[in-house]
Structure formats: structure tokens, C-alpha cells
Amino acid sequence: MIKAILIFNNHGKPRLSKFYEHYSEDTEQQIIRETFHLVSKRDENVCNFLEGGMLIGGSENKLIYRHYATLYFVFCVDSSESELGILDLIQVFVETLDKCFENVCELDLIFHVDKVHNILAEMVMGGMVLETNMNEIITQVDAQNKMEKSEVRL
Amino acid sequence: MPAVSKGDGMRGLAVFISDIRNCKSKEAEIKRINKELANIRSKFKGDKALDGYSKKKYVCKLLFIFLLGHDIDFGHMEAVNLLSSNKYTEKQIGYLFISVLVNSNSDLISLINNAIKNDLSSRNPTFMNLALHCIANVGSREMAEAFAAEVPRILVAGDTMDSVKQSAALCLLRLNRTSPDLVLMGEWTARVVHLLNDQHLGVVTAATSLITTLAQKSPEDFKTSVSLAVARLSRIVSSASTDLQDYTYYFVAAPWLSVKLLRLLQCYPPPEDGAIRGRLTECLETILNKAQEPPKSKKVQHSNAKNAVLFEAISLIIHHDSEPTLLVRACNQLGQFLQHRETNLRYLALESMCTLASSEFSHEAVKTHIETVINALKSERDVSVRQRAVDLLYAMCDRSNAKQIVAEMLSYLETADYSIREEIVLKVAILAEKYAVDYTWYVDTILNLIRFAGDYVSDEVWYRVIQIVINRDEVQGYAAKTVFEALQAPACHENLVKVGGYILGEFGNLIAGDSRSSPLIQFDLLHSKFHLCSVPTRALLLSAYIKFINLFPEVKGTIQEVLRSDSQLRNADVELQQRAVEYLRLSSIASTDILATVLEEMPPFPERESSILAKLKRKKGPGNLHPDLDENRKERSANGGTADHSSTTSNAKSSPLSFVGDLLAPASTAPPTNRPRPVSSSYLLQAPLTPIPLQASAVPVLLSAGPLFQVAASPTPSTDLLGLGSTITTQNSAPPASKGTSLLVDVFSENIAAFPVETPVAVGPVADENFSRFVCKNNGVLYENQLLQIGLKSEFRQNLGRMYVFFGNKTSTQFMNFAASVVCQDTLQAQLNVHAKPADPTVDGGAQLQQILNIECMSDFVDAPVLNIQFRYGGTLQNVAVKLPITLNKFFQPTEMTSQDFFQRWKQLGAPQQEVQKIFKAKHSMDTEVTKAKIMGFGAALLDGVDPNPSNFVGAGVIHTKTTQVGCLLRLEPNTQAQMYRLTLRTSRDTVSQRLCDLLSEQF
């Protein structure tokens, strides 16, 4: 199960946080900071997996992350997930964002936080992978946009 | 066209975010946020109805503020109102707000539930999906109560859209996680399993996740999923990469689904049906073959996806652990990955190999990669990978390669990352002990550990080396010589000083013949470290000095001089002052004979579980341990009994970690006394320092604080160097001070010395030969040797029991100082109360002594208490320890029930952790009547005519403990042809199932 999905930039500013288990708001912020601390000190070209921080379950959980330009995408998962599978899921997520926002960048995540949540919701639900097929995800997102547009026109 | 055009953002939101980003200080940011919060609040509260666009804008602002780590304590009501809007935009933003900001115990849940209910019945797939997402994200109990019945219906309904099915499957999974009792699959099971055949691969992926979780809980119900999963997997694996269209990811066919299916199959043993099994083997072979094919793309995504499937296939092969050819192929494949240029693959290969190493088929194959793994330890740049390499070396270690692995780990330790040093130290210590053939090697290894990573050597490690040196004569001289040399280093770690002080104090005489290590040189060497050490170490050194006075009378003057100095006698630390005063006095008054007796060499320690292992387990969880080690642990703890007094040690410390802290624990930790005692003696007893052998009882009062020796003669703290449960013997017959005994025992058990005090007698192994005979009966002879026979008669009712123990003196001579006590070790203390009524201290020749034990079961337990008997026969002290057959099943009350009731309850207890099953070979003839008698003797009601197969036996009963009652069902299926039994236990508590199964399976 995916416990949390975190996106933050190179300075540790959170850009998206989605927890699939309940933590207090304080703890959530601490987890973000702790995770940033663990991930950001790692060199490039080391492996993409490491043991989770103490706050999110320690060695029971793994952090699986990718670093794209200014952003870290971190998935915190338990032992029931395939590490490489999650790594690919991150890739699908980023590619989908890229398609939806055309050359996605950090600012898109900041200014369209609702959209990012919607796209993520099409992929992961309650901590489980819902859909991995990018075309399917984009079809859903497009359909929602159309509905929004039609409502605006009304 | 991009799905989100850049122009349609909300201007107000953009301005706000830019403002925040332009804030120069945290204060400015908070000020700006508070301003915005006030603004939104007033807008929400205002009279004017907000349009959808504004609501959305404000909710987005709140989300942004929340993401920055600020509390949002309003807006929830507005969000709930948005849910009932007919507009998608408003509804969607309402759900978003709720899934990010509402936690599961919000008081708005009932309102939210209402909105969800409407959306679920709307037949609008978009709204249904929003509602299902919301349930899955919040997942509260109220939601489960409201929708646990509805969601499965949506999932299996014929007209549900694919995307809704996907959401419904995962929604159900979430509800099952949070409130398993509310999600009853029953009638849906077959149709859910059938989703594995769905046309839409997204539906199959979601359903596979759901089924995997459900199958872990009730494997029997979802057994049919195995064949469907194999069929599905086989179709994917053998498909051309274009067949699955959108579900082909970088030329790999449906990698996520394949991974999920392989995970599902890991819930089950290899399929029994030969055809399915063959098909699965074929799949696994194909996956292994594909790994050798040239890649279809150079992109990392292609190899990632392909390898994700491959690693999962290897996990399944390891899980099945049944096909030697596949296992060896898996091992070879992992071997290739060990040298792969992708760090991720090296990491995963090391991790998977760790599990492979414990399979008997592949252990040898794993070992062939030792050089590569060692190389990884030395050259990997990534600490995560190096850590996996350490784990793997530990897992692949056996007698043949222990020296090499330990040496490599030691040399790595010098440069190892701080974060993993302690763990490496523990692992090295365990391996060195486990595979030591030659104990000089062991001693060298531990001393090197201290030298290279002294700060990371926990107390358990140095306690252990001392224990082993004391117990093994052949290594004592070598150890003394080695520590003496190690102490020569100008700067040595304090842990080395501790080990050195202890060992030289005991065995310094073995090297004193060499003029280079004469007594005086030894003493000077130790004393040169004294002032640099902490108080506990100094206390230990003082004890070493008094031992020197005994070993080497020629240095007595020098040492007395040291003890007499103001820095000792008037030391501000009460513990040090106490020791200095006592030792000085002891050395001045006592005759050589008395000194020799008092300061005698330590007797061997009882063998017990290595506390190092316990510590590693605490650090890592049991999963990461080598299975052999676990077994060893079991054996040891079974023999681990030592003398104790159960009623007086109930509050003794349970954690070895508190050991050092206890060293100087204040008197307040002692329980209330029933008799006032002189202050001075209590002080002396607390100071856990004076090695007092039993013979001291013959010594007249030595010091003004007289009671010390009288009392100390009877309660003798044994050497709890390992800290695993304190071990105390009492002698009821001890002369005048016996009344104070229990108190004093406690004082000792609270304050066990770093310099342990001697036990009066070596405690032998605990006899348990007849133990299992008493599992199904209550009376008989428990133990017999040339002198003594122990018989038992016992009765149990509910959680209480009474046991009559008969001690028969087989000789014609009287047993003197006879004392028997019952010890509940470790966790057992809290689980079982055994109160022994006092018995006579003498047993005449040929006579029998009866002692009554009252037993109360507090909670379910595994270990058995130990009965320790001491007596004096002729001139020698006899010591017998026997495992008392008080087993969990004694607290059974049989329950009669009908076949229908039985199977209904059987089903209710279907969770995997509730069931324990064992298949084993018959050890006795498979006689039906005998079996029946055994089951009844075990305590359960034998239910006739319940099992459709008349040759099977089923039983039922309730285990009574003080805290709970645990219903137990059992089923024994004999297979007379194969001379095997299958025993299945189902109870509401996993520990009970396990224990009962272990106990009963030994009986047939």
C-alpha cells in the first residue's frame, strides 16, 4: 500500500502532499520535512529506494523517489508494493502531468493544485494503484475538463 | 491540446500565491496568510451567495495554505454544501477539500455520508467515482457502516461502468482494511474472484489488489483465484507486446498487472493441480527467459518494467521454495544483477538474495556470490546498497565462510556509515559466537569490534564476551593475554577497560608468570585507565582490584594504598566510596582463606539466549534474522531456566537495556520491607559489588555491617550478565536472616552488578524429558535421579490450578536445607502466577515431602515455569531444575457443540493469523482410541459426528485466563497410509493457536 505521496522542491517546499493514512497536521508537516531531509542529501545516481523515516514507520516502509529538475517525487510505500513498479508509476504520473500541462514545471503544480490532485486521484485511490494506463487517465481528465467548460458556459 | 490550458487559472489565486512567494520572511508570510484567511472567512460567512467559481477559488486558496503547514479550521461546512451541488465543478472541489482536509473522525461525517449516498445512486459514473474516491480517502468507520453493503453491489453489478468498477474495488479494499468486520464478502466472493476474467485490464488490476488483501485474511475462500490468476498471467506473459494496446508500457505487456498477479499467487502454496502448476512454471520460465533477451528499448522505463515483473516472479519462486531448477535460475539471475550497472537492480538483487539464502535448495548457490557481495560492501557508493550487502552477508554466513565474512565486516566497520555501525557490530558479534570453533578467534573478534567501533558496542556485546570467557576454560589464558596487550594502547575505549578489568580480575593469574605481565604491571596498567573512566567502569575496576588482592597477595599493599586514598574513600560518588570502604575493610580483616572463598573465581553462567540476538531482533524485527539463529534461540530459552523465586522477582526489570541504569538504582526501587533493617546493611546489599560465594555463610560477621553476609549467604543473585530476567535463588533454610530474604532478593534483582556476584552452585540444564508426557495428563512422575524422585498430581479449573509436588528422598540420608522454588522467566512472569507454599527444609531418608503450588493463569503463555530444587546431601549441594508441565491447555474447559455450530464458528475464525496448521509424521501407532483419549486429556471436548469424515477428530473448548477467554477449535486428520497427521487449530488469538498446535502435535 502507498502510505503517502509527497512532492517538494529542491528547497523542501512542499508542492503536493497526499497521505493515505491519517496523521495529525503537525505530523504530516514533520514527515514532509523528515522525508526531504532524507532524500535531498542523497547523491544523484544512487539507488532510488531507501528506508522510511522514523515518523512514517521506519524500516517497515520504503521511500521510493525520483528527482526531476527542481522537484522530488516521493512515494512512501509498505512492503506489499514492487519497488520498480512504483518507480514506473512515478514516471507515468510525471508523463501524465507533462501531457496535461504541456511541459510541466513547478509553477504548474503551485497554481493548479486542484488539477494535480485530480490527476493523482485517477491513478491512486485510498493508497492503491487505480489505473496505470496513461491514455485512460488522460481521457478521464479530459472528460472532466469538458464538463467544467460546459458548466462555465452555462 | 493540453488538458489544462494555462490561461484558465484563477487570477485571485495566482495573485495570492505570488504574494506568498514574494514574502521576504516567515512573519510576512504568516501575516499574508492570516489576512487571506480572514477574507475567505468573511466571504463564507457573508450574506451574498458565492458562485461556483469563487467557492472553487477560495477552496484552492485554503488547500494551498494547508499545504504550507497552516491549520484550516473552517470551510468544512461550505465544502459539505458543495457536495450536494449538481454542478460537477462544485461537487468536485467539495470532494477534494474533504479528502485532503477532513479526517476520519470529523463530526461532519454523517452529512458527507448523505451526499455520498445520493451520488452513489445517481447512476452518473463521474459522480459515483467522486463518491467512491471520497469513501476510500476518508475510510472512516461510519462510512464503512454506511456503505459496506452498497459498494460490493456496485462492484459486481452487470451494468456498472469499468471505471466505476475499478473505483469500487479499491474502495472496498480500503473499507476492508479499516473495518474488516463490516465488510462481509460471503455471497460476493465468487463474483469478485471472477473479475480476474474481466475484459478491462484496469478492472483486473484493481480487483487483483482487492483479492490479494482478502485472500491474506481468508485464503480458503479465495482459493479459486489461483487458477484464474495463473491463466491471466499466462495470457499476458505469452502475448505479443502489442496485444494489450494501452496496457503495454514501454514494450512490456501490462507490467503492473503482472506484478499484482504474482503477488496474489504469493498468498498461496504452489498449486496442487498439476496442470495449473505446470502452466505457472511455464510462465515463470518465460519471465526468466525474457530477462536474457536483448532489450526492446534502451529507455530505462523498459528495463524497469521488465525487471519489476522479473523480481516479483523471483519472489514467487522463493516463496514456493519447491522447484530446485527455478530456484537456481533465480539465483543466477540475481547473481547477474549483483553486477549490473543500475544501482536499483543491485539493491533489489541483494535484497531478494537475502530471502533466497534461507532456502535449503539455494543456500549453496547464494554462497557462490560471496566475493561480489563483499565487493559491493567495499565499493558501493550508496549506503542503502551497502546496508543490503551487510544483510546478505549475514544471511549467507555459515560455518564454512564465517571467518571470511566476519573479517570483511570488521574491516568495513572502520569506514562504515554511522547509521549502520551498531547493527553491524551486533551482527558480527552474533556470527562470531555462532560459528566460533576456536574461541580465541571469538575473543579476538570481539576485542577488534571494541577497538574499531567501541562507541557502537552495546553492553550486551561485552557482557557476552565475558560470559563466554568465563564458561570456557580453554580460552581464559588467551583472553587475559589478549586484553592485557590490547590495554597497552595509549588510548583505548572504555568498553575495553571494562572487559579488561573484568577478565584480568578473574584470570590475571594465568599470565602473571610472565614478568612482562606481572601482577604489579597488570594493576598499574588497569589503574592508569581508572581516572579517565566513568563511574560504572571505575566501580568495576575497584572490584577487579579486590580480586587482585586475592589473586596476588604481593600487590595487596599497593592496592590498599589506592583504596585508602581520599579520592576513593571520600569519593563524592556514593557507589565508589562504598566499594572503596568495603573492599579496604574486607582486605584488612579477612584471612587469606576467607578472601579466597569470598573472591573465588566466577562459576560458569547458565546458557541462555544471547541478548545480542534479542537486541538485533528489537532493532530489525524478526523477519531479518537467520532462521537457524531463531531455532537456536528456541532451544536455548527452553534450557534457560535458572534458579529464581517467582514471587519476589515479579517486578524485576525485564529489559536488558535498563541494566546499566540499574547499577546505581536508588533504594526506593525496593519493595516495602516487612521488618526494619539496619541502614548500613541495606546499603551494602544494594551496592552490587561483593562477590559472595555460598560458603560465606560459614564466615562469622566480618564487618560492622554484619547482616550483609548472613543474608547474602541465602539470597544470591546469580549473574545476570545478559540481563534476560533476573535469576535469584533463595534458600528457605538460611539461618537467622531468612525473614528478610525476600526483600533482599529484590534488592539484588533490581541492582545487578556489572561485576556479578557468584552463584552458590552452578546451575545445570533444566530437565524436561518428561515434560510432554504431562500435556495430556495431570499425574505421574516428572523427574527422577539417583537421589530424588519428583511426582506430580494436579487439578485445574478455569484459569486456576493446584499442583501437588511430591519430593521423594530415595536415599537413606536426610536431605538438608531443602528448598524448592518456581521461576517464571521473562514474559511468563506477567502471564502466570505460581505461588509455592513453603515446605519443610529437611526430607528424611526414604520419606516424601509434599509441596503445594497454587497457579493462576493471567493471560496466554508459551514458556513453562521451572522448578528449582536445592538441597544438601552429605556434604555437597545438589541442584536440580525441572520444567514444570503447566501448559496453556491445562486451562481448557471443554465445550460441546453441534456440527452446524462448529462449522459456523470454524468459518468465523478464518483469518490466516487465527489458524495454525501443522502436518507431521506419527510418532506413535495411530490408534483411534488412544488419539481420542489424548484429545480429551488435552482438555477439549471431543465432538463426535461433526466432521463428515469419520476418521477425523474435531474438538472444541475455551481457554480460560484471568483477562480473557479464548474459544478454540481443533481438527486432527490422520492419514494412516502415509503415517501422517494434519492438525489445524483455530482460535481467536494467534498466539493461542500456535501454542496449542505446538503442544498437541507433539503428542501423536
Side-chain angles (χ1 to χ4, degrees):
Chain A
M1 173 183 173
I2 301 168
K3 301 288 171 94
I5 295 174
L6 307 173
I7 305 178
F8 38 71
N9 71 6
N10 291 346
H11 306 290
K13 281 271 180 209
R15 293 305 175 212
L16 175 97
S17 71
K18 180 79 192 141
F19 287 85
Y20 295 99
E21 282 193 336
H22 290 294
Y23 296 97
S24 71
E25 280 137 37
D26 266 358
T27 317
E28 287 187 3
Q29 290 297 322
Q30 283 170 21
I31 290 174
I32 296 174
R33 276 198 294 276
E34 185 188 46
T35 310
F36 170 70
H37 183 75
L38 285 170
V39 169
S40 62
K41 68 175 182 200
R42 293 171 62 82
D43 293 341
E44 297 291 327
N45 302 325
V46 297
C47 78
N48 298 87
F49 325 122
L50 64 155
E51 286 184 357
M54 290 317 291
L55 291 170
I56 200 152
S59 55
E60 306 267 295
N61 289 325
K62 277 209 175 97
L63 300 176
I64 297 169
Y65 74 100
R66 264 185 194 279
H67 190 193
Y68 295 91
T70 63
L71 292 173
Y72 286 97
F73 286 68
V74 187
F75 280 43
C76 178
V77 303
D78 68 12
S79 62
S80 71
E81 298 291 340
S82 149
E83 290 92 343
L84 291 173
I86 293 291
L87 214 49
D88 281 337
L89 192 68
I90 298 178
Q91 178 69 19
V92 172
F93 184 31
V94 173
E95 285 184 26
T96 310
L97 289 174
D98 202 49
K99 282 228 167 96
C100 291
F101 289 108
E102 250 180 22
N103 288 328
V104 67
C105 69
E106 192 179 341
L107 287 176
D108 295 317
L109 302 195
I110 298 174
F111 289 108
H112 301 281
V113 70
D114 56 327
K115 292 273 183 257
V116 179
H117 269 287
N118 286 348
I119 293 166
L120 185 60
E122 292 301 327
M123 299 180 59
V124 179
M125 175 171 161
M128 299 302 294
V129 178
L130 178 66
E131 184 55 76
T132 53
N133 172 356
M134 194 155 56
N135 292 336
E136 190 95 359
I137 299 165
I138 289 173
T139 313
Q140 294 285 348
V141 174
D142 277 340
Q144 290 163 10
N145 287 331
K146 267 188 204 123
M147 263 188 283
E148 265 180 48
K149 292 237 168 71
S150 69
E151 283 176 3
V152 169
R153 254 176 254 136
L154 284 172
Chain B
M1 190 191 77
V4 179
S5 64
K6 305 237 171 182
D8 70 352
M10 289 164 279
R11 206 172 151 268
L13 177 67
V15 169
F16 170 62
I17 293 173
S18 309
D19 282 359
I20 296 287
R21 287 161 53 86
N22 290 333
C23 285
K24 294 277 186 292
S25 66
K26 194 79 192 160
E27 289 73 31
E29 183 185 308
I30 291 173
K31 212 172 147 197
R32 179 69 185 88
I33 284 171
N34 285 337
K35 188 178 152 207
E36 192 61 38
L37 286 174
N39 172 38
I40 300 172
R41 208 187 295 256
S42 73
K43 284 281 176 2
F44 278 166
K45 290 244 166 73
D47 312 327
K48 222 173 69 186
L50 293 173
D51 58 13
Y53 170 80
S54 312
K55 282 183 190 160
K56 181 176 165 185
K57 182 176 73 185
Y58 294 131
V59 169
C60 284
K61 281 182 181 174
L62 290 178
L63 286 176
F64 184 76
I65 294 170
F66 180 75
L67 185 64
L68 291 179
H70 300 271
D71 272 1
I72 304 294
D73 54 2
F74 69 98
H76 298 77
M77 203 56 213
E78 286 72 16
V80 172
N81 288 336
L82 286 172
L83 297 185
S84 44
S85 164
N86 280 327
K87 283 193 179 166
Y88 167 76
T89 338
E90 299 190 355
K91 198 183 272 296
Q92 183 264 332
I93 203 78
Y95 273 123
L96 175 58
F97 183 94
I98 284 163
S99 64
V100 176
L101 280 163
V102 173
N103 59 36
S104 55
N105 36 27
S106 161
D107 41 4
L108 293 172
I109 290 285
S110 62
L111 291 173
I112 298 172
N113 277 359
N114 248 336
I116 292 176
K117 195 167 284 170
N118 289 334
D119 284 334
L120 283 186
S121 51
S122 70
R123 308 187 63 81
N124 173 335
T126 314
F127 289 4
M128 288 171 89
N129 270 337
L130 284 174
L132 289 168
H133 268 108
C134 185
I135 302 173
N137 279 325
V138 178
S140 69
R141 182 130 193 114
E142 288 97 328
M143 282 193 177
E145 277 162 4
F147 303 111
E150 181 62 19
V151 178
R153 208 167 297 145
I154 296 174
L155 175 61
V156 298
D159 57 349
T160 306
M161 301 245 318
D162 289 336
S163 69
V164 179
K165 266 192 204 167
Q166 273 171 280
S167 304
L170 294 186
C171 184
L172 193 58
L173 167 54
R174 172 69 182 203
L175 293 183
N176 182 275
R177 282 235 171 93
T178 53
S179 318
D181 52 317
L182 295 176
V183 180
L184 301 171
M185 293 310 295
E187 46 183 321
W188 310 119
T189 306
R191 297 171 76 180
V192 168
V193 170
H194 209 70
L195 289 173
L196 290 176
N197 277 337
D198 201 283
Q199 293 287 317
H200 191 277
L201 287 195
V203 174
V204 184
T205 309
T208 311
S209 294
L210 173 65
I211 294 167
T212 304
T213 304
L214 295 173
Q216 278 162 357
K217 291 183 178 162
S218 30
E220 205 52 35
D221 294 347
F222 289 86
K223 227 174 167 174
T224 47
S225 63
V226 172
S227 59
L228 292 182
V230 171
R232 191 95 223 190
L233 183 68
S234 154
R235 265 177 284 156
I236 297 172
V237 169
S238 56
S239 68
S241 59
T242 48
D243 287 358
L244 301 165
Q245 295 162 1
D246 287 350
Y247 284 87
T248 297
Y249 175 82
Y250 289 91
F251 306 100
V252 183
W256 283 278
L257 179 54
S258 309
V259 165
K260 294 272 174 206
L261 290 168
L262 289 162
R263 283 268 158 155
L264 169 59
L265 292 170
Q266 285 172 55
C267 300
Y268 290 95
E272 278 161 25
D273 182 321
I276 301 174
R277 192 173 174 147
R279 200 161 174 198
L280 179 58
T281 306
E282 228 169 76
C283 284
L284 295 171
E285 278 169 352
T286 314
I287 295 171
L288 286 169
N289 291 341
K290 279 188 182 170
Q292 302 302 330
E293 290 169 10
K296 295 198 176 75
S297 156
K298 288 218 167 74
K299 286 241 162 90
V300 67
Q301 282 80 9
H302 171 70
S303 76
N304 262 359
K306 196 163 119 180
N307 292 327
V309 178
L310 179 59
F311 271 107
E312 218 50 67
I314 290 174
S315 292
L316 182 62
I317 293 168
I318 298 171
H319 169 80
H320 283 172
D321 197 13
S322 62
E323 300 269 356
T325 32
L326 283 178
L327 279 164
V328 169
R329 282 193 69 183
C331 187
N332 292 340
Q333 182 61 55
L334 293 177
Q336 284 184 20
F337 282 147
L338 285 181
Q339 317 216 35
H340 202 279
R341 58 188 171 77
E342 274 273 321
T343 317
N344 287 338
L345 296 181
R346 295 197 302 272
Y347 174 98
L348 293 172
L350 288 166
E351 193 178 57
S352 298
M353 248 193 196
C354 237
T355 44
L356 201 55
S358 52
S359 158
E360 57 168 318
F361 295 119
S362 47
H363 183 80
E364 287 304 314
V366 170
K367 273 168 62 186
T368 58
H369 299 288
I370 184 165
E371 295 303 334
T372 319
V373 183
I374 287 171
N375 196 34
L377 191 63
K378 287 177 177 160
S379 60
E380 282 290 348
R381 288 172 49 221
D382 186 349
V383 57
S384 304
V385 185
R386 290 196 297 267
Q387 166 123 39
R388 295 292 152 255
V390 171
D391 288 348
L392 178 52
L393 283 178
Y394 181 74
M396 67 162 65
C397 191
D398 63 18
R399 207 167 288 286
S400 70
N401 55 21
K403 284 204 172 171
Q404 186 187 6
I405 286 179
V406 165
E408 292 294 348
M409 280 173 135
L410 263 178
S411 74
Y412 171 59
L413 195 54
E414 286 181 86
T415 54
D417 309 78
Y418 297 113
S419 55
I420 56 174
R421 279 196 188 184
E422 187 181 358
E423 200 186 311
I424 298 177
V425 167
L426 292 174
K427 285 185 165 156
V428 169
I430 290 168
L431 294 177
E433 180 186 338
K434 185 167 158 60
Y435 297 114
V437 184
D438 164 8
Y439 279 89
T440 59
W441 172 70
Y442 171 76
V443 169
D444 286 341
T445 303
I446 302 295
L447 290 182
N448 278 331
L449 270 185
I450 297 175
R451 206 174 295 154
F452 296 151
D455 287 342
Y456 298 88
V457 172
S458 55
D459 290 334
E460 285 88 348
V461 174
W462 74 262
Y463 293 165
R464 190 72 186 158
V465 67
I466 284 172
Q467 199 178 32
I468 285 179
V469 169
I470 299 238
N471 285 12
R472 311 218 169 244
D473 299 343
E474 72 273 19
V475 78
Q476 289 160 354
Y478 180 80
K481 180 164 161 285
T482 318
V483 291
F484 177 79
E485 281 161 9
L487 283 170
Q488 307 281 346
C492 52
H493 195 272
E494 189 163 332
N495 279 336
L496 185 65
V497 179
K498 289 179 185 163
V499 175
Y502 199 114
I503 289 181
L504 291 181
E506 291 293 327
F507 308 114
N509 55 327
L510 300 177
I511 55 167
D514 189 326
S515 61
R516 286 164 298 177
S517 51
S518 72
L520 193 61
I521 294 176
Q522 284 186 42
F523 172 74
D524 285 342
L525 180 62
L526 279 181
H527 199 55
S528 70
K529 316 285 180 194
F530 187 90
H531 300 279
L532 301 170
C533 291
S534 62
V535 168
T537 308
R538 288 195 211 177
L540 187 151
L541 286 178
L542 286 178
S543 295
Y545 297 169
I546 185 76
K547 287 236 163 184
F548 269 14
I549 290 183
N550 174 45
L551 291 180
F552 315 121
E554 63 266 39
V555 295
K556 181 170 170 178
T558 317
I559 290 176
Q560 281 181 331
E561 205 51 48
V562 168
L563 292 174
R564 201 175 285 129
S565 73
D566 277 357
S567 63
Q568 308 297 352
L569 274 190
R570 300 190 178 186
N571 195 297
D573 185 274
V574 69
E575 173 70 30
L576 295 181
Q577 191 186 96
Q578 183 85 33
R579 290 194 187 210
V581 171
E582 279 171 28
Y583 292 159
L584 183 58
R585 193 87 184 119
L586 181 64
S587 66
S588 328
I589 305 177
S591 70
T592 335
D593 280 358
I594 293 168
L595 269 186
T597 325
V598 173
L599 302 169
E600 202 177 40
E601 187 183 303
M602 290 291 297
F605 287 83
E607 272 305 315
R608 266 182 277 163
E609 172 182 8
S610 159
S611 58
I612 308 176
L613 201 54
K615 174 146 187 173
L616 185 67
K617 257 180 279 171
R618 274 199 305 278
K619 258 185 97 64
K620 296 296 283 180
N624 282 331
L625 282 168
H626 205 280
D628 289 353
L629 289 172
D630 265 343
E631 269 161 39
N632 269 6
R633 182 181 63 82
K634 278 180 214 139
E635 276 167 27
R636 278 192 217 157
S637 61
N639 298 326
T642 33
D644 200 343
H645 195 290
S646 61
S647 62
T648 57
T649 53
S650 54
N651 57 354
K653 60 197 175 45
S654 55
S655 155
L657 289 176
S658 60
F659 194 98
V660 169
D662 279 348
L663 197 64
L664 302 173
S668 60
T669 53
T673 169
N674 53 0
R675 194 177 74 154
R677 293 168 306 117
V679 172
S680 55
S681 77
S682 88
Y683 247 116
L684 276 170
L685 284 166
Q686 265 173 54
L689 62 177
T690 338
I692 303 155
L694 179 82
Q695 292 87 327
S697 61
V699 178
V701 175
L702 275 173
L703 308 175
S704 55
L708 165 65
F709 282 88
Q710 284 177 12
V711 177
S714 45
T716 315
S718 82
T719 44
D720 197 357
L721 202 54
L722 285 178
L724 285 176
S726 46
T727 50
I728 309 296
T729 24
T730 53
Q731 267 183 286
N732 294 345
S733 61
S738 59
K739 265 197 182 164
T741 308
S742 69
L743 168 79
L744 297 166
V745 166
D746 253 312
V747 171
F748 270 110
S749 66
E750 292 286 331
N751 301 291
I752 289 157
F755 206 114
V757 185
E758 285 186 32
T759 32
V761 278
V763 178
V766 178
D768 61 359
E769 296 85 354
N770 292 338
F771 182 83
S772 72
R773 283 195 211 165
F774 284 82
V775 170
C776 292
K777 62 176 194 169
N778 286 330
N779 307 324
V781 174
L782 176 64
Y783 176 82
E784 190 157 19
N785 66 11
Q786 285 158 335
L787 308 176
L788 177 76
Q789 184 191 56
I790 304 174
L792 291 185
K793 236 177 153 168
S794 42
E795 49 193 20
F796 293 86
R797 182 167 303 147
Q798 303 206 320
N799 72 319
L800 301 176
R802 175 167 293 175
M803 188 175 264
Y804 300 88
V805 188
F806 300 94
F807 300 101
N809 182 344
K810 291 167 68 179
T811 69
S812 51
T813 321
Q814 194 186 44
F815 291 165
M816 304 283 287
N817 298 4
F818 189 91
S821 61
V822 179
V823 184
C824 293
Q825 283 209 318
D826 305 330
T827 50
L828 191 59
Q829 279 178 22
Q831 296 162 339
L832 196 67
N833 278 338
V834 182
H835 178 75
K837 295 201 171 166
D840 280 348
T842 52
V843 187
D844 289 333
Q848 204 175 50
L849 174 75
Q850 176 189 315
Q851 191 173 26
I852 300 175
L853 309 179
N854 285 323
I855 302 152
E856 187 183 16
C857 175
M858 309 302 288
S859 63
D860 67 285
F861 61 96
V862 174
D863 294 328
V866 174
L867 178 67
N868 284 296
I869 302 121
Q870 276 183 26
F871 56 91
R872 199 167 276 279
Y873 169 72
T876 54
L877 194 68
Q878 302 290 329
N879 200 65
V880 174
V882 193
K883 221 160 133 188
L884 262 188
I886 302 174
T887 46
L888 184 56
N889 64 298
K890 298 294 177 196
F891 305 95
F892 241 134
Q893 293 287 303
T895 317
E896 294 291 343
M897 55 175 76
T898 63
S899 174
Q900 196 189 353
D901 284 349
F902 182 87
F903 281 106
Q904 195 185 351
R905 286 184 203 191
W906 184 261
K907 281 205 183 104
Q908 281 165 358
L909 296 170
Q913 67 273 23
Q914 295 175 329
E915 183 191 271
V916 173
Q917 193 171 72
K918 220 179 207 175
I919 297 170
F920 54 92
K921 235 181 158 53
K923 281 183 293 219
H924 309 282
S925 74
M926 298 176 79
D927 182 315
T928 310
E929 290 312 309
V930 174
T931 307
K932 280 184 178 171
K934 278 181 178 166
I935 291 177
M936 286 191 280
F938 191 65
L942 187 68
L943 304 176
D944 261 333
V946 164
D947 199 294
N949 180 349
S951 57
N952 290 349
F953 305 89
V954 295
V958 177
I959 295 279
H960 287 258
T961 74
K962 192 175 182 191
T963 45
T964 52
Q965 301 190 352
V966 182
C968 311
L969 302 176
L970 67 90
R971 187 184 201 188
L972 181 72
E973 298 158 86
N975 177 345
T976 36
Q977 269 190 334
Q979 288 287 301
M980 301 280 281
Y981 284 105
R982 176 158 75 184
L983 175 63
T984 314
L985 255 294
R986 287 194 179 184
T987 81
S988 48
R989 198 177 269 231
D990 51 351
T991 47
V992 173
S993 305
Q994 186 63 54
R995 182 57 184 156
L996 291 180
C997 187
D998 291 346
L999 283 169
L1000 189 57
S1001 60
E1002 288 305 310
Q1003 298 298 315
F1004 298 102

